[in-house]
Amino acid sequence: MEEEHLRALTQADADGDDRVVDAALRPKSLDEVVGQHRVRDQLGLVLEAARQRGRAPDHVLLSGPPGLGKTTLAMIIANEMSAPLRVTSGPAITHAGDLASILSGINEGDVVFVDEIHRMSRPAEEMLYMAMEDFRVDVVVGKGPGATAIPLDIPPFTLVGATTRAGLLPGPLRDRFGFTAHLDFYEPADLDLIVRRSAGLLGVEITDGGAGRIASRSRGTPRIANRLLRRVRDYAQVRADGVLTDEVAAAALDLYEVDDLGLDRLDRSVIEALCLRFAGGPVGIATLAVAVGEERETVEEVAEPFLVRNGFLVRTPRGRVATPAAWEHLGLTPPRIDPAGGRSSTSGTGQQELFED
C-alpha cells in the first residue's frame, strides 16, 4: 500500500497537481486514521457488525468544520466494505430526477457519498427519505393531470452524508441516519503524527522541531497541516538543504504569513481593523468586511470561527468586539473600562459607542 502511495505521489509531483497529492496523503483504512479516536472506534464497530451480518451498513452522517476528514472517512467506509463509492454533492442535486438517476445506477452494497448534504433541493430531499428507508424511489413521468409515478426499487445501499452545518439539516432527514458523528478539531500531538506521516509519504526528511512547528500552526486541521507541509517543503528545497528543521519551518511559515498561533493574513487583518480602526468595537460585520477588503461571507465563514474559538473576537448583539487577547497578540494595550461600562481608548481620541451597519 505504501508503494502505491509513493507512485501516486511521484505522478502527482510530476503533474504539479496538489489535489492528487492530497488524495495520496489520505488514510486508506480506519487503522491509518490519526486522531478522532471516539468516532473511529464507533464507526469501526458499525462497519464490523455490518460485515458479520453480510449487509450494507446503516446510513452515516458526518458533521464538522471543513478539513477534518469527512470525505476521507467516506472513502474509508467504502474501502472497508470493499464497495464502490459514488460521489456527488448537495448543490449538484437540484432536481429529484438528478437523485433518481444516481440511485437507479447503483448496485447492492454501494456507498453513495453526498458532500454538503444540507444544500440539496427540497424535492430531492423528500425523495431521499423514501430511498433511505424503503430503498425505493418514485419516478414521475409526464406533467400535469396525466403525470404518473412509477415506483422504482433500488438495492440496499449506504448513504454517507457530510455537512459543515448540521443545524441546517431537516429533522426528518437527520433522523434517518443510523449513525451520526461529529468531527472535532485535532490536538497538536495528533497533528504532529499526521505531519510526520505525510512527510514520510512525500519522501521529505523532517525533524521533531519541524513537525511540531507545522502542527502548532495548523489550526487543529489536517488539511491545513498538509498544505503547510508542502509549502515548507518548497522553502526547504529552494532556500535550504531540503531538511524540514524547526528553523526552516519557522522561516517558511513566516514568509507565508502564518504566525505562531496559526493566524494568517485575513485573521490578522480582521483583528487589526477591530483594534486599530474601531478601537476594539463593537462594529457590524458588513463594516468590518469592507474595512478588510473582503466579502462579508468570507469574514464570517473563514476568519471568524477560528478567531472566536481562540478567544480573539466576540460576537455580540451590538457587533464584533476584540478581546484583550487580540490586543495582546498585536502587541497593543487594551482600552480601559470606565465605571459606566463603556470603553475609553488608550490613544486619547475616544471611541464611538457603536459601529453599526
Side-chain angles (χ1 to χ4, degrees), residues 38 62 86 107 111 117 119 131 155 160 191 210 244 251 283 341 356:
R38 175 180 52 82
L62 304 171
R86 307 293 182 94
N107 299 313
V111 177
I117 193 171
R119 297 178 61 186
V160 180
L191 286 174
L244 276 58
V283 58
E356 284 189 310

Side-chain angles (χ1 to χ4, degrees), residues 67-80:
L68 298 187
K70 296 184 293 296
T71 301
T72 297
L73 283 178
M75 295 178 177
I76 287 175
I77 291 172
N79 187 53
E80 293 277 354

